[in-house]
Amino acid sequence: MLLLLPRARGAWASPWARGGLSLLRGGLRSARLGAAAPPFARRQLWSPPAGRRAEEPFPLDGFVNRDVELFHHERPRFFRNVGLFCVSQLAFWLYLADLALTTLRETPPDPEKAGSEERPPSRPWLGNLFNLTSGSAKWRYGFSATCLAVGTLIFVAGFFFARRSVSRVLLLRGSQEVTFTTYYLFGYTSSFTVPLRHISCMSHRSEVAAIIPVKIKGKPFYFLLDKQGSITSNPLFDITVGAYREW
């Protein structure tokens, strides 16, 4: 729809009036064609408060109106290797325990040499440990239990190390909750969401050399953020996930 304006006469024919009329026609034409409005017609919807730089991507009070990724570190290949190592170690120690339990047998003493051999003195404070032969029942069961414990310990340690290694930290909209993504063995991942007030960083990121320890209320052990990963906004990280809180 075209707007027809009458030709200015009299006082409206001054240069100032003609300039204002041309600007008005230009603004109407831009609005009709979908172009940007002239600078004088634009209205600033938000201005940074005093003391805050306009180029800062996130506010310093920690509030965000969209989901923001704070930390990111992808290591699926490394945890695939960790999974292979843990499984191979568990299989090796289980095989060694089964081998010791099934193949070691106590050899009966030779009757011709039984009377001539001198028996070693007993050591009651050690429970005659050195008097055991490699085939005795105590030796077999003890060695098998030790192999089983070592293999299980290596597998459990690798599993918990993967579960506490953080791949991604996402600050949800409203800055009230945080989503953590952690690894499983063989490079798989899973995510869970916790309130921000339940997160406490035990050491500032500038005070640690390799790992940032983060404690989550109600969960055992620390969650580990490798400093080789990338942090999107250092100030926002420091006042949210990287802040120390007492419960």
Side-chain angles (χ1 to χ4, degrees), residues 58-79:
F58 301 108
L60 296 181
D61 54 3
F63 180 83
V64 293
N65 56 4
R66 58 183 175 86
D67 297 347
V68 177
E69 185 180 67
L70 296 179
F71 175 82
H72 184 79
H73 192 202
E74 290 289 342
R75 291 189 297 173
R77 182 178 180 181
F78 172 77
F79 285 101

Side-chain angles (χ1 to χ4, degrees), residues 5-75:
L5 298 176
R7 183 180 300 274
R9 297 180 180 176
W12 292 98
S14 64
W16 292 101
R18 288 196 298 270
L21 186 60
S22 62
L23 286 177
L24 180 60
R25 288 176 178 174
L28 293 175
R29 186 181 301 107
S30 300
R32 185 173 64 253
L33 298 178
F40 72 89
R42 298 174 186 173
R43 185 179 60 178
Q44 190 174 5
L45 299 179
W46 178 85
S47 59
R52 181 181 300 175
R53 295 180 301 175
E55 62 269 14
E56 290 181 352
F58 301 108
L60 296 181
D61 54 3
F63 180 83
V64 293
N65 56 4
R66 58 183 175 86
D67 297 347
V68 177
E69 185 180 67
L70 296 179
F71 175 82
H72 184 79
H73 192 202
E74 290 289 342
R75 291 189 297 173

Side-chain angles (χ1 to χ4, degrees), residues 118-133 138:
E118 296 182 359
R119 301 185 61 184
S122 62
R123 299 175 176 85
W125 61 90
L126 293 177
N128 294 328
L129 177 63
F130 294 98
N131 294 334
L132 296 176
T133 61
K138 291 183 179 180

Side-chain angles (χ1 to χ4, degrees), residues 18-245:
R18 288 196 298 270
L21 186 60
S22 62
L23 286 177
L24 180 60
R25 288 176 178 174
L28 293 175
R29 186 181 301 107
S30 300
R32 185 173 64 253
L33 298 178
F40 72 89
R42 298 174 186 173
R43 185 179 60 178
Q44 190 174 5
L45 299 179
W46 178 85
S47 59
R52 181 181 300 175
R53 295 180 301 175
E55 62 269 14
E56 290 181 352
F58 301 108
L60 296 181
D61 54 3
F63 180 83
V64 293
N65 56 4
R66 58 183 175 86
D67 297 347
V68 177
E69 185 180 67
L70 296 179
F71 175 82
H72 184 79
H73 192 202
E74 290 289 342
R75 291 189 297 173
R77 182 178 180 181
F78 172 77
F79 285 101
R80 280 197 296 266
N81 295 334
V82 171
L84 291 175
F85 171 78
C86 293
V87 170
S88 61
Q89 286 293 311
L90 179 62
F92 169 76
W93 288 102
L94 288 179
Y95 169 76
L96 197 60
D98 179 72
L99 185 67
L101 188 63
T102 56
T103 59
L104 292 180
R105 291 290 183 268
E106 186 174 5
T107 57
D110 191 354
E112 297 180 356
K113 299 181 179 180
S116 60
E117 292 181 354
E118 296 182 359
R119 301 185 61 184
S122 62
R123 299 175 176 85
W125 61 90
L126 293 177
N128 294 328
L129 177 63
F130 294 98
N131 294 334
L132 296 176
T133 61
S134 60
S136 63
K138 291 183 179 180
W139 173 263
R140 288 190 297 114
Y141 289 124
F143 185 75
S144 300
T146 303
C147 293
L148 183 62
V150 170
T152 305
L153 181 62
I154 293 175
F155 183 83
V156 172
F159 176 80
F160 274 101
F161 173 69
R163 293 299 298 141
R164 291 301 179 263
S165 297
V166 179
S167 170
R168 187 170 181 243
V169 178
L170 186 67
L171 181 64
L172 301 183
R173 179 179 180 180
S175 303
Q176 298 298 319
E177 293 181 329
V178 179
T179 297
F180 282 81
T181 302
T182 58
Y183 285 99
Y184 279 104
L185 294 179
F186 302 103
Y188 297 102
T189 59
S190 65
S191 302
F192 63 93
T193 302
V194 294
L196 180 61
R197 64 180 181 274
H198 290 175
I199 301 173
S200 177
C201 186
M202 309 310 296
S203 299
H204 192 267
R205 56 185 175 83
S206 62
E207 299 175 354
V208 294
I211 299 294
I212 304 175
V214 175
K215 180 65 177 177
I216 297 180
K217 187 177 181 180
K219 294 185 179 295
F221 307 112
Y222 292 107
F223 287 81
L224 309 177
L225 280 67
D226 198 324
K227 292 190 69 175
Q228 293 183 355
S230 59
I231 298 177
T232 304
S233 174
N234 291 333
L236 185 61
F237 180 88
D238 291 340
I239 62 177
T240 54
V241 175
Y244 176 77
R245 298 176 178 86

